């Protein structure tokens, strides 16, 4: 059963702590993405990676970091430098070999930092 | 900067009413266009997409959208909504110049009264 998994579904952290969100896909997609979803603001791109060992900053990369050591995995670390980390985080992937770039989304992780 | 505008933040309709959700984008070149839907507690999923050809595209669950290039619009329509259409709807655009980088609108929350 192909798809994208994100874990955990809910995550709670204290201010000042780094936290890593997991994203795994078994769709054999080349490209992977991280978005942040806040009420009334839609989805904003944090980082994306079009190929293993390469990634680019999105629109709101400050306070976040990523790695892409394997094709199927694209973990996101929310660092203590992120000023407003409480949000819903969505991971997505797409097959960059096609012209359509349709993105498939995971179920999301809701992060609460207090 | 490239952007996508969804002017209706929250739409409330009764069952069997007709639906039209507006979407406008700011990019003068060729684009790929999408509507995604997020049902309560579920993954973001693709509703329909436009790449080329017939500007009237049909998606799942009776939804359709019309691409009007001269108006930079891609409005979503459904002739008769059901309670199960309650969800958040996101318009998205991929400008050809941006490779796979997708730009989302802020979303429209649709509430259907039974």
């Amino acid at each position: 059963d192909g798809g994208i998994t994100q874990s955990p579904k809910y995550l709670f952290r204290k201010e000042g702590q780094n936290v890593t969100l997991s994203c795994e896909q078994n769709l054999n997609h080349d490209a992977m993405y991280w978005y942040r979803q806040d009420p009334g603001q839609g989805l904003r791109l944090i980082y994306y990676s079009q190929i293993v060992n390469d990634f680019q900053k999105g629109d709101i990369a400050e306070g976040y970091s990523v790695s892409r050591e394997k094709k199927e995995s694209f973990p996101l670390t929310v660092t203590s430098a992120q000023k407003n980390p409480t949000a819903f985080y969505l991971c997505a992937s797409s097959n960059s070999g096609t012209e359509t770039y349709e993105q498939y989304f995971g179920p999301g992780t809701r992060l609460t930092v207090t | 900067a490239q952007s996508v505008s969804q002017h209706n933040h929250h739409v409330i309709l009764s069952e069997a009413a007709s639906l039209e959700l507006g979407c406008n984008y700011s990019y003068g070149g060729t684009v790929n266009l999408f509507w995604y839907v997020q049902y309560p507690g579920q993954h973001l999923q693709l509703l329909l997409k436009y790449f080329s050809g017939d500007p009237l595209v049909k998606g799942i669950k009776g939804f359709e959208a019309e691409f009007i290039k001269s108006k930079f619009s891609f409005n979503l329509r459904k002739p008769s909504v059901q309670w199960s259409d309650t969800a958040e709807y996101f318009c998205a655009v991929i400008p050809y110049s941006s490779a796979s980088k997708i730009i989302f609108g802020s979303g429209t929350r649709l509430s259907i009264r039974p």
Side-chain angles (χ1 to χ4, degrees), chain B residues 7 9-10 15 29 36-38 40 46 54 56 58 63 65 67 70 72 75 77 79 82 84 94 97 105 112:
Chain B
H7 304 294
H9 298 294
H10 188 193
E15 275 195 313
Y36 281 87
V37 60
Q38 191 174 32
L46 185 69
D54 188 346
L56 183 63
K58 295 193 184 296
F63 286 91
F67 170 48
S70 61
F72 300 93
N75 292 355
R77 300 195 292 247
Q82 302 171 304
S84 58
I94 297 180
S97 64
I112 306 297

Side-chain angles (χ1 to χ4, degrees), chain A residues 24-89:
Chain A
E24 304 276 330
Q25 55 100 357
N26 61 4
L27 299 167
N28 200 33
H29 284 168
D30 293 312
M32 295 186 74
Y33 312 81
W34 274 105
Y35 296 92
R36 173 183 170 134
Q37 186 178 8
D38 296 284
Q41 297 194 53
L43 277 69
R44 292 182 290 167
L45 183 64
I46 304 172
Y47 267 98
Y48 64 106
S49 166
Q50 293 180 294
I51 197 167
V52 174
N53 292 322
D54 188 40
F55 48 83
Q56 287 80 40
K57 292 182 179 180
D59 301 316
I60 55 165
E62 188 176 344
Y64 299 97
S65 65
V66 293
S67 62
R68 186 87 188 277
E69 295 174 6
K70 299 187 293 182
K71 187 176 185 177
E72 57 271 20
S73 178
F74 191 41
L76 172 75
T77 296
V78 184
T79 75
S80 56
Q82 167 49 231
K83 292 186 177 131
N84 186 19
T86 293
F88 188 55
Y89 291 89

